[in-house]
Each structure stands twice: as C-alpha cells, then as structure tokens.
C-alpha cells in the first residue's frame, strides 16, 4: 500500500520528487543494509590485510635469519655471529619454504584486500615466484654476479660492525 505524495507528514522535497512514505522507508532500510554490508566488507578487508601483513612479517623474519649478512648490513645484528649457509641442503630448504609461502599467499583472497595491499600482494608474489622459478634453473649455483660474489667481500667491512668483547 503506497500513500500519495500529499499525505500528512511528507516534506516538500519528497512531494516534489513524487515519492511515497513507503519509498522513503524502503530507502532507509536499503541504506541500513548497504551500511551493514560495507561494515562486513571492511571487516573482511581488515582481516585479510592483517593476514597478508602477518605473512610479510613472517617472510621478513625468515629472510633475515636465512641471510645474516644481509640482516647485519641492514642493521639487524641478531645474527651478526653467522655467515649465510650456502650448502645445497640450505638452498633446497629455502626453496621449499618459499614454495610454502606462495601457498600461504594464495590462501589470502586478493580481491578482498585494500587497493594498496593488492599491489603489495602482487609484488610479494612476483618476488617469491621469481625465486622459485630461478631455483628450477639452478640459478642459486651461480655464485658470482656483478653485485654478488667474492669480488665484493671487502664491502662487508664497510657494512658490518666489528665490536670486541673488551670494548
């Protein structure tokens, strides 16, 4: 049952639009539903964004532990007493872990992330997918490159702190 635009209680604006009281009530209900849906979607985005950031944190900590020289160069001295493990077993272990990280990433629905985190997701995925693909081509066995290899070992002295126990 619709009341005409001239019913008591109607404001002039609604009368000009020719809307009924029921239409206005339906609009309010629809606005309420849209707001509730937006809150649910925002909660989902926040939850998935948090899951993505937790994965980033996990991967970062793992990368620091796996590459103590790089960590020390960045100022993270927790592994300052170690060298990178360049054994074949370590390369295989790292490869498996990177594959596992990609599986964890795939479990996070990209479409439910905020726009900036969709970009972060894509960059992270590309970096780890590239590392996994490089492993298949045995790229990890190339120990010398322009910026990576024994020819640049002297840079360690510039990048690392050398403290003594005696002060």
């Amino acid at each position: 049952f619709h009341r005409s635009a001239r019913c008591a209680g109607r404001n002039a604006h609604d009368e000009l639009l020719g809307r009924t009281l029921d239409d206005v009530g339906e609009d309010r209900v629809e606005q309420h539903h849209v707001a509730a849906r937006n809150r649910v979607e925002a909660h989902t985005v926040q939850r998935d964004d948090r899951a993505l950031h937790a994965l980033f944190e996990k991967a970062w900590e793992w990368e620091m532990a796996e590459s103590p020289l790089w960590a020390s160069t960045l100022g993270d001295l927790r592994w300052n007493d170690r060298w990178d493990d360049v054994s074949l077993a370590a390369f295989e272990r790292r490869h498996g872990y990177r594959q596992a990280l990609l599986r964890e990433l795939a479990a996070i629905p990209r479409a439910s992330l905020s726009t900036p985190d969709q970009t972060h997701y894509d960059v992270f995925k590309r970096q780890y997918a590239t590392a996994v693909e490089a492993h298949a081509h045995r790229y990890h066995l190339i120990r010398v490159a322009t910026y990576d290899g024994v020819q640049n070992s002297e840079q360690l002295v510039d990048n690392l702190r050398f403290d003594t126990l005696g002060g």
Side-chain angles (χ1 to χ4, degrees), residues 41-164:
E41 289 172 1
H43 177 70
T44 300
V45 165
Q46 289 173 355
R47 185 186 68 236
D48 291 335
D49 284 0
R50 283 193 303 268
L52 182 67
H53 288 262
L55 182 63
F56 290 164
E57 182 65 26
K58 175 181 171 179
W60 178 262
E61 287 298 316
W62 176 78
E63 291 285 353
M64 294 292 99
E66 288 296 314
S67 185
L69 293 177
W70 185 45
S72 295
T73 299
L74 294 175
D76 187 341
L77 306 179
R78 292 177 288 171
W79 300 279
N80 207 27
D81 61 339
R82 294 183 5 200
W83 289 95
D84 295 6
D85 184 352
V86 293
S87 68
L88 290 177
F91 283 114
E92 293 303 318
R93 182 176 40 79
R94 287 192 283 269
H95 175 65
Y97 192 81
R98 288 184 179 112
Q99 289 175 315
L101 284 175
L102 284 171
R103 286 191 297 274
E104 284 185 54
L105 181 68
I108 299 171
R110 183 187 179 280
S112 69
L113 298 170
S114 65
T115 301
D117 275 336
Q118 287 180 1
T119 302
H120 300 149
Y121 180 104
D122 294 342
V123 170
F124 185 87
K125 181 178 179 181
R126 180 176 171 99
Q127 288 176 329
Y128 277 86
T130 299
V132 167
E133 182 181 350
H135 185 82
H137 298 288
R138 303 176 63 84
Y139 184 76
H140 57 284
L141 298 178
I142 300 173
R143 296 309 313 150
V144 178
T146 303
Y147 297 107
D148 184 28
V150 295
Q151 76 277 11
N152 293 322
S153 298
E154 77 283 351
Q155 292 176 353
L156 288 175
V157 174
D158 295 332
N159 291 329
L160 301 178
R161 286 183 18 196
F162 292 94
D163 296 333
T164 62

Side-chain angles (χ1 to χ4, degrees), residues 2-4 7-10 14 19-26:
H2 288 277
R3 297 181 188 155
S4 73
C7 286
R10 303 280 310 181
D14 284 340
R19 299 175 67 203
T20 67
L21 285 176
D22 287 342
D23 291 338
V24 172
E26 289 172 9

